[in-house]
């Protein structure tokens, strides 16, 4: 109870995690006089450069400071930021940010994990003081305020009030919204053909006279609603695959509540992947199926596929994994806070309600990208008095789910913290499994700007797979890189096949060997699936005529509507 109270006060962050990192930094910095002298020298040089800039004496032959040499900062690119004194304030902030990064890193003897955490915390705190965050030091806000006679600030105050009331549950949107599930989102026609306590299984209506005999089962992540892969009509991966002549099924996860607190990873495997596999093959009469896993769903699918391989279950024709990890040693910024203390804190926080709420998860993810997800929207909405245009991916991102206490604890401990799957300790039915037990060919996709599953981490599948593996590296982030439909502007990708007996190439070598191609990886994906499928046949029925696989209702079903 004490830990739970602390967790609520700290938004689930363990104070001891930061305390340990700070002590490691403080002790080693205190005993590093060379580092201290370097920092003092850098601070003096920064002050000189800033003074020269402010007096207009800076020349190309002298030290230019961070603003002139670093990657352009989107916060300070408008015309107003190029004028005095705003250019000086922007440069001062960037110098200050970089100096604090130098303070927290490259400290002799300090743990790399603690360095990363302290650098992140320092950067986040310094960013709270950015001149762009305040009306009196942001030239764009000042210009808008003068031009609109303060109406932007009035609208901003109204926007802030609306957001506070909405988050508190006092008000709800009235009337039809631009993006609604079943009306403008998740609209690919289909039927719910199976339901249990954890999933609804959706079978999509064919649009071609004939289909490939091997159906496709998509296993999405359960941290959000399934329809990331069936967004609007023009960017729905489901609709695209159906149009290519595939019979497509999708799992729609239940939004768990307190009564589901004891559902674990094994329940998600059995009631999710395995139950859906049985249903798909029973309905279609096919001997094999393609199974596609996205994000957490991909990790779960790799567990299920490994167990099937170990048990000589040969029903998988292929195992495509989209932005999914099997090794968690380099799992991006989320690794900053994951240790025994933090996991214990999260478990204590979940103990009362029986789940991790969507608000708690959303806050953690927003903190990892505070510039883009906290400060930029705040400036736009509350200082400029504007509202960002809504789009389908944003609407989906605002529709999260809860996480059952037991499942989330097992995921964090067994996979994220202990890395049991990659190291051969993950048990299914009391026996260890290994990714090398997967016998079906694998199609893996990583995204260049992924902060949830960095592509180098996804690429590590090459170290564990013992089968033919096709790897794709696509532009975009964790979500936008996957939702990359044909015709999407400014998209590119790299693709290469690696045979089961081929020598290993590290990520940098692989990237250098494979040139980027313009366009969408979806087209290559459909061709890859077709090459591993049989000749087209008549479409199967929509569910069984009767029994437990009979059609229950129209897509998108009922579980996706749960709040």
């Amino acid at each position: 109870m004490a830990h739970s109270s602390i967790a609520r006060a700290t938004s689930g962050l363990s104070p001891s995690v930061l305390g340990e990192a700070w002590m490691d930094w403080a002790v080693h910095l205190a005993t590093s006089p060379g580092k201290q002298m370097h920092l003092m020298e850098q601070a003096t040089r920064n002050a000189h450069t800033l003074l020269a800039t402010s007096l207009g004496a800076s020349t190309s032959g002298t030290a230019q400071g961070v603003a002139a040499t670093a990657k352009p900062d989107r916060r300070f690119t408008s015309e107003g930021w190029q004028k005095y004194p705003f250019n000086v304030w922007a440069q001062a902030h960037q110098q200050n940010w970089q100096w604090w990064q130098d303070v927290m890193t490259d400290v002799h003897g300090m743990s790399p994990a603690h360095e990363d955490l302290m650098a992140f915390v320092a950067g986040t705190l310094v960013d709270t003081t950015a001149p762009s965050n305040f009306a009196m030091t942001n030239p764009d806000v000042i210009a808008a305020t003068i031009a609109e006679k303060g109406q932007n600030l009035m609208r901003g105050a109204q926007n802030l009030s609306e957001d506070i009331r909405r988050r508190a549950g006092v008000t709800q949107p009235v009337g039809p919204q631009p993006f609604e599930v079943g009306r403008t989102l998740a609209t690919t026609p289909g039927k719910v053909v199976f339901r249990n306590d954890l999933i609804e299984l959706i079978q999509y209506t064919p649009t071609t006279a004939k289909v490939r005999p091997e159906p496709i089962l998509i296993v999405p992540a359960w941290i959000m609603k399934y329809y990331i892969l069936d967004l609007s009509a023009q960017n729905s991966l489901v609709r695209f695959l159906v149009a290519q002549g595939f019979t497509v099924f999708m799992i729609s996860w239940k939004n768990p509540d307190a009564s589901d607190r004891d559902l674990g990873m094994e329940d998600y495997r059995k009631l999710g992947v395995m139950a859906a596999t049985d249903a798909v093959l029973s309905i279609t009469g096919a001997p094999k199926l393609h199974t596609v896993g996205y994000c957490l769903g991909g990790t779960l699918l790799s567990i299920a596929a490994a167990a099937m391989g170990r048990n000589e279950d040969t029903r998988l024709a292929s195992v495509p994994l989209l932005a999914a990890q099997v090794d968690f040693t380099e799992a991006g910024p989320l690794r900053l806070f994951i240790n025994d203390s933090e996991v214990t804190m999260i478990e204590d926080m979940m103990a009362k309600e029986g789940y991790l709420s969507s608000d708690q998860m959303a806050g953690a993810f927003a903190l990892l990208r505070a510039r883009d997800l906290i400060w930029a929207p705040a400036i736009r909405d509350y200082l400029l008095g504007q509202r960002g245009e809504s789009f389908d991916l944003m609407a989906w991102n605002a529709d999260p789910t809860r996480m059952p206490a037991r499942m989330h604890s097992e995921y964090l401990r067994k996979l994220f913290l202990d890395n049991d799957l990659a190291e051969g300790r993950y048990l299914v039915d009391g026996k260890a499994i290994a990714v090398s037990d997967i016998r079906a060919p694998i199609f893996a996709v990583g995204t260049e700007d992924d902060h949830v599953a960095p592509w180098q981490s996804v690429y590590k599948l090459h170290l564990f797979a013992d089968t033919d593996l096709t790897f794709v590296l696509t532009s975009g982030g964790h979500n936008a890189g996957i939702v990359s439909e044909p015709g999407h502007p400014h998209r590119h990708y790299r693709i290469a096949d690696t045979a089961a007996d081929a020598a290993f190439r590290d990520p940098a070598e692989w990237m250098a060997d494979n040139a980027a191609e313009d366009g969408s990886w979806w087209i290559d994906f459909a061709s890859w699936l077709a090459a591993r499928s049989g000749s087209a046949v008549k479409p199967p029925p929509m569910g069984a005529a009767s029994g437990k696989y009979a059609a229950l209702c129209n897509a998108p079903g009922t579980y996706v509507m749960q709040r």
Side-chain angles (χ1 to χ4, degrees):
M1 291 175 63
H3 283 188
S4 180
S5 299
I6 295 173
R8 286 194 295 272
T10 62
S11 298
L13 300 179
S14 172
S16 68
V17 174
L18 184 58
E20 292 171 8
W22 181 88
M23 182 61 71
D24 188 8
W25 167 78
V27 169
H28 286 94
L29 182 62
T31 56
S32 301
K35 177 71 172 179
Q36 296 173 29
M37 292 182 65
H38 167 74
L39 293 172
M40 288 188 287
E41 178 187 3
Q42 185 63 45
T44 302
R45 185 183 300 113
N46 288 347
H48 175 269
T49 302
L50 194 63
L51 179 61
T53 301
S54 65
L55 296 176
S58 178
T59 66
S60 60
T62 61
Q64 293 295 308
V66 176
T69 59
K71 181 179 179 181
D73 191 324
R74 289 184 296 177
R75 295 174 296 178
F76 309 121
T77 55
S78 69
E79 183 178 350
W81 286 107
Q82 314 313 313
K83 300 177 182 178
Y84 182 85
F86 304 106
N87 59 342
V88 177
W89 294 343
Q91 183 174 340
H93 171 73
Q94 291 175 297
Q95 286 182 339
N96 189 36
W97 190 92
Q98 186 58 56
W99 187 81
W100 276 104
Q101 294 300 296
D102 294 339
V103 170
M104 297 301 176
T105 58
D106 198 25
V107 179
H108 190 63
M110 186 176 173
S111 162
H114 289 162
E115 277 195 357
D116 292 341
L117 177 56
M118 292 303 295
F120 169 78
V121 172
T124 301
L125 291 177
V126 172
D127 275 341
T128 64
T129 67
S132 55
N133 296 340
F134 303 95
M136 297 301 294
T137 54
N138 187 323
D140 299 327
V141 175
I142 293 174
T145 303
I146 294 174
E148 301 182 42
K149 297 182 173 58
Q151 289 303 306
N152 58 307
L153 298 178
M154 295 295 293
R155 293 195 306 272
Q158 183 178 358
N159 291 342
L160 178 60
S161 176
E162 290 175 355
D163 289 346
I164 292 174
R165 291 169 62 84
R166 185 176 298 113
R167 288 178 182 139
V170 177
T171 60
Q172 296 295 330
V174 178
Q177 299 300 301
F179 298 100
E180 290 185 16
V181 176
R183 189 174 67 86
T184 54
L185 302 172
T187 59
T188 303
K191 299 284 187 181
V192 173
V193 294
F194 174 66
R195 181 187 295 133
N196 62 24
D197 291 338
L198 188 58
I199 71 166
E200 286 184 335
L201 181 65
I202 301 171
Q203 179 182 1
Y204 292 95
T205 305
T207 58
T208 56
K210 291 188 176 182
V211 298
R212 299 287 181 172
E214 295 84 3
I216 297 174
L217 170 63
I218 301 178
V219 184
W222 53 86
I223 193 172
M224 301 289 286
K225 300 294 178 65
Y226 81 88
Y227 60 89
I228 177 66
L229 301 178
D230 184 26
L231 278 172
S232 303
Q234 75 277 5
N235 59 7
S236 166
L237 178 60
V238 168
R239 191 180 292 262
F240 171 79
L241 291 174
V242 169
Q244 305 307 306
F246 293 100
T247 300
V248 180
F249 293 77
M250 173 91 81
I251 288 176
S252 174
W253 300 99
K254 177 186 178 182
N255 192 0
D257 54 31
S259 65
D260 301 307
R261 64 186 308 134
D262 292 324
L263 289 174
M265 287 291 293
E266 185 66 359
D267 295 303
Y268 273 72
R269 184 187 73 88
K270 288 183 176 179
L271 297 177
V273 178
M274 301 314 299
T277 297
D278 294 340
V280 169
L281 295 180
S282 176
I283 291 170
T284 62
K288 291 178 178 288
L289 78 165
H290 301 288
T291 50
V292 180
Y294 172 56
C295 187
L296 292 181
T299 303
L300 179 66
L301 176 58
S302 67
I303 292 171
M308 293 173 72
R310 181 200 63 188
N311 297 338
E312 299 183 355
D313 186 336
T314 61
R315 293 181 293 170
L316 300 183
S318 71
V319 185
L321 302 172
L322 314 181
Q325 301 173 95
V326 298
D327 178 280
F328 290 81
T329 54
E330 298 180 33
L334 289 174
R335 289 281 324 170
L336 292 172
F337 299 98
I338 300 300
N339 60 21
D340 284 291
S341 176
E342 177 60 27
V343 173
T344 300
M345 182 70 71
I346 293 174
E347 289 171 340
D348 293 337
M349 185 169 60
M350 294 188 295
K352 180 178 180 181
E353 300 294 340
Y355 55 78
L356 187 67
S357 73
S358 57
D359 291 341
Q360 292 161 335
M361 289 185 289
F365 280 105
L367 189 63
L368 295 175
R369 298 178 61 200
R371 288 185 184 181
D372 296 330
L373 301 181
I374 296 177
W375 296 116
I379 294 168
R380 180 195 65 215
D381 292 351
Y382 309 140
L383 298 184
L384 295 175
Q386 302 169 356
R387 281 296 196 189
E389 292 185 10
S390 181
F391 54 96
D392 49 12
L393 196 57
M394 180 184 293
W396 168 83
N397 196 55
D399 190 16
T401 60
R402 296 174 287 272
M403 306 274 271
R406 180 181 174 186
M407 183 282 303
H408 196 48
S409 174
E410 290 177 348
Y411 166 73
L412 290 176
R413 287 198 176 277
K414 293 182 179 181
L415 298 176
F416 222 101
L417 187 60
D418 297 336
N419 208 27
D420 284 350
L421 178 59
E423 298 181 12
R425 293 187 299 271
Y426 194 94
L427 304 181
V428 174
D429 295 330
K431 297 180 181 179
I433 60 169
V435 176
S436 58
D437 290 334
I438 298 176
R439 295 290 174 256
I442 296 173
F443 186 98
V445 180
T447 63
E448 293 177 349
D449 302 318
D450 200 327
H451 67 287
V452 177
W455 79 265
Q456 294 89 344
S457 180
V458 176
Y459 183 87
K460 279 189 169 185
L461 186 60
H462 286 84
L463 294 171
F464 307 103
D466 194 20
T467 185
D468 295 343
L469 194 157
T470 298
F471 187 77
V472 171
L473 177 60
T474 181
S475 57
H478 186 70
N479 299 320
I482 301 302
V483 183
S484 185
E485 71 283 0
H488 194 121
H490 312 302
R491 292 294 190 189
H492 63 264
Y493 67 99
R494 306 166 195 264
I495 184 170
D497 298 321
T498 301
D501 58 355
F504 175 74
R505 291 178 292 176
D506 65 40
E509 181 184 2
W510 183 94
M511 190 172 189
D513 290 345
N514 296 284
E517 304 176 28
D518 291 334
S520 168
W521 62 270
W522 285 14
I523 297 174
D524 284 80
F525 180 42
S527 298
W528 188 91
L529 290 170
R532 289 155 182 81
S533 302
S535 300
V537 298
K538 183 180 178 181
M542 294 294 293
S546 60
K548 66 177 181 178
Y549 299 136
L552 301 173
C553 62
N554 291 328
T558 60
Y559 280 0
V560 73
M561 302 296 184
Q562 294 174 331
R563 294 290 181 264

